Amino acid sequence: MKANAKTAATLRSLAAGRGVRIGCAVGRAFWSDERYRELLARECNVIVAENVMKWGLIHPERERYDWGPADELVAFARAHRMRMRGHTFVWHRQAPPWLEKGTFGRDEFFGILREHVTALAVRYQGVVAEWDVVNEALDDNGGFLRNSFWSRACGQDFIDAAFSYAHEADPDALLFYNDYGIEYECVKQERLFELLRGMIARGVPIHGVGLQCHFETGKVPVEGMRRVIGRIAKLGLKAAITELDIRIARPTGAQELAQQAKEYAALTRVFLEFSGSCDCQLTWGITDRYSWVPVFFEGFDDALLFDREYRPKPAADAVATEFAHRA
Ligand code: XIL
């Protein structure tokens, strides 16, 4: 099985064989590129919207939701028997001006949050099995909460409230707190565990933590991942790898691709070790033809599993091999 895992089987079928979910964020190319859609259908048993379920896109005006694009993704997921992750109810970015700049009383603000969360969770019940309820609420510089329009409007309470509203709307959905910079030991990770312990003590319906995992080749915290997933599991929570990519400093050569493949393989081993508590691994995109990396990280690229021509890179083969030979 090992040698030819990559040609014989897709990542999707290998993951299904291990009882786990593998997939990616789906971006704009979904609406323009048939080959991209074919690649998704072949390789993924779970997808997440890269942008179209974010507040600013799906609820651009107070009285108007723009369901079209998200509905199309959900229909695609259903047609191809995939699950979806929902991303994301509460974030300080990609929020519509009416919300971010609005001057609402506290009760009104919570009412708006409840209405938004309920509308999405109810509409996509049954397909969106888990939600990133709150995204990136922790501070990057050692404080507790990020200073954002959310924390300025209502301190910490928006976090508990969003989870409670989501649970009320869809009691079957698994609810995650999602962030970056928490994958290895650091102050932000300690703040994460403070947040989690507090939420658990208050009886907030939280079920898991999304580890974004935007990494750079040569600096992938494999041991950190093993430890943090273990710590999350000890709290009785699930972990999910939600936005994995491993960017390479240009120019990319064979050596860098081989190093990246080793790192994807090492992370896949950790993922499979913990499949009881971490059963979903998503990359933030699928082909290097379309990726947020070169846009957001100057000088970096080639972070994903498939190349610009949709061919599996050494990283994809390495992931497939891990799935196959550890079965
Ligand atoms: C990014 C998208 O990939 C971009 O297309 C968009 O312009 C900005 O957001 N963390 C997250 C994701 O939780 O929502 C972000 O996605 C990447 C970082």
Side-chain angles (χ1 to χ4, degrees):
M1 184 85 186
K2 183 182 168 190
N4 272 325
K6 57 194 182 207
T7 45
T10 62
L11 294 177
R12 176 180 183 156
S13 63
L14 290 164
R18 301 297 299 263
V20 296
R21 299 194 171 266
I22 190 165
C24 69
V26 176
R28 266 208 310 258
F30 179 83
W31 286 273
S32 59
D33 183 340
E34 176 65 30
R35 283 172 72 202
Y36 176 82
R37 285 195 297 272
E38 284 168 14
L39 187 64
L40 298 176
R42 197 179 77 212
E43 301 293 344
C44 304
N45 59 6
V46 57
I47 54 172
V48 62
E50 183 172 357
N51 287 303
V52 299
M53 284 190 190
K54 291 173 181 169
W55 197 316
L57 285 96
I58 204 164
H59 193 177
E61 291 164 35
R62 186 157 182 185
E63 305 302 335
R64 185 170 69 83
Y65 287 86
D66 184 2
W67 298 114
D71 282 1
E72 286 175 58
L73 276 190
V74 168
F76 179 83
R78 273 190 197 281
H80 295 279
R81 289 167 290 102
M82 299 162 162
R83 295 265 281 272
M84 283 198 79
R85 291 193 93 254
H87 179 83
T88 174
F89 297 133
V90 171
W91 194 25
H92 61 287
R93 298 182 54 200
Q94 291 180 282
W98 72 265
L99 178 69
E100 191 169 347
K101 307 266 185 286
T103 45
F104 309 109
R106 196 181 153 90
D107 288 352
E108 193 181 11
F109 197 77
F110 279 106
I112 290 169
L113 175 60
R114 173 182 231 131
E115 186 201 300
H116 176 84
V117 168
T118 306
L120 270 71
V122 166
R123 190 176 185 93
Y124 298 127
Q125 201 160 17
V127 185
V128 174
E130 43 193 74
W131 280 98
D132 291 332
V133 175
V134 174
N135 194 32
E136 302 181 355
L138 290 170
D139 184 44
D140 285 326
N141 307 308
F144 186 51
L145 286 190
R146 175 189 299 280
N147 177 9
S148 72
F149 71 93
W150 290 103
S151 59
R152 285 192 298 274
C154 43
Q156 186 187 331
D157 295 345
F158 70 93
I159 300 180
D160 291 8
F163 278 82
S164 300
Y165 301 153
H167 187 61
E168 259 169 43
D170 181 359
D172 295 326
L174 295 180
L175 306 180
F176 283 69
Y177 174 77
N178 192 55
D179 214 328
Y180 63 87
I182 53 172
E183 300 89 347
Y184 43 87
E185 275 159 42
C186 60
V187 179
K188 190 170 177 181
Q189 190 185 78
E190 287 317 307
R191 299 287 177 261
L192 167 73
F193 283 100
E194 259 170 58
L195 175 70
L196 298 175
R197 282 192 297 266
M199 290 175 79
I200 292 169
R202 293 189 295 276
V204 178
I206 177 171
H207 309 113
V209 179
L211 304 161
Q212 289 189 4
C213 299
H214 295 294
F215 296 141
E216 178 183 337
T217 189
K219 299 185 188 166
V220 175
V222 177
E223 278 317 306
M225 285 291 287
R226 186 169 273 123
R227 277 199 295 272
V228 75
I229 296 173
R231 275 185 83 182
I232 291 168
K234 261 201 187 144
L235 288 179
L237 299 176
K238 285 174 156 283
I241 295 169
T242 53
E243 307 187 10
L244 174 61
D245 46 25
I246 305 181
R247 58 188 180 272
I248 293 174
R250 282 200 209 94
T252 303
Q255 220 179 328
E256 288 76 20
L257 291 172
Q259 170 71 18
Q260 181 189 50
K262 275 191 204 149
E263 292 163 341
Y264 266 106
L267 289 173
T268 302
R269 279 199 292 278
V270 174
F271 172 58
L272 290 173
E273 245 171 67
F274 286 96
S275 58
S277 48
C278 180
D279 59 7
C280 186
Q281 173 168 296
L282 289 143
T283 47
W284 205 244
I286 191 164
T287 151
D288 291 330
R289 183 185 288 248
Y290 313 110
S291 161
W292 79 306
V293 164
V295 183
F296 283 81
F297 299 90
E298 219 193 313
F300 290 88
D301 206 348
D302 302 310
L304 296 166
L305 295 175
F306 291 82
D307 73 11
R308 281 178 177 65
E309 295 310 318
Y310 311 82
R311 289 175 305 229
K313 291 161 65 183
D317 294 343
V319 170
T321 301
E322 288 304 323
F323 275 116
H325 85 216
R326 292 175 62 86

